[in-house]
Amino acid sequence: MREEYDFTNARKNPYVKKVKKQITINIDSEAIDYFKEQSAVSGIPYQTLINLYLADCASKHRKINVSWE
């Protein structure tokens, strides 16, 4: 084993997944039920669906439109 290695021409691993951060969040039962129904139809875990939806909103810089009825 060498005493020292040269990483000047190193590059990031392209196969590493994006890092996810675990959080705790309160979500209404109706919203969770909706994503669980979508999960049953698509075969994708509901937490992944929620993450995909939120990531899509963030990447498209969607603004929140809250209307109180």
Side-chain angles (χ1 to χ4, degrees), residues 48-62:
T48 301
L49 289 176
I50 294 170
N51 184 56
L52 289 170
Y53 182 76
L54 293 174
D56 181 61
C57 289
S59 69
K60 293 180 180 175
H61 302 286
R62 292 190 181 165

Side-chain angles (χ1 to χ4, degrees), residues 23-69:
I23 63 166
T24 301
I25 186 170
N26 296 320
I27 302 175
D28 292 336
S29 296
E30 295 83 14
I32 294 172
D33 292 342
Y34 171 79
F35 281 100
K36 285 186 176 182
E37 289 171 12
Q38 297 301 311
S39 173
V41 172
S42 67
I44 299 171
Y46 77 96
Q47 290 178 336
T48 301
L49 289 176
I50 294 170
N51 184 56
L52 289 170
Y53 182 76
L54 293 174
D56 181 61
C57 289
S59 69
K60 293 180 180 175
H61 302 286
R62 292 190 181 165
K63 302 295 179 199
I64 298 173
N65 183 11
V66 178
S67 61
W68 304 98
E69 297 179 16

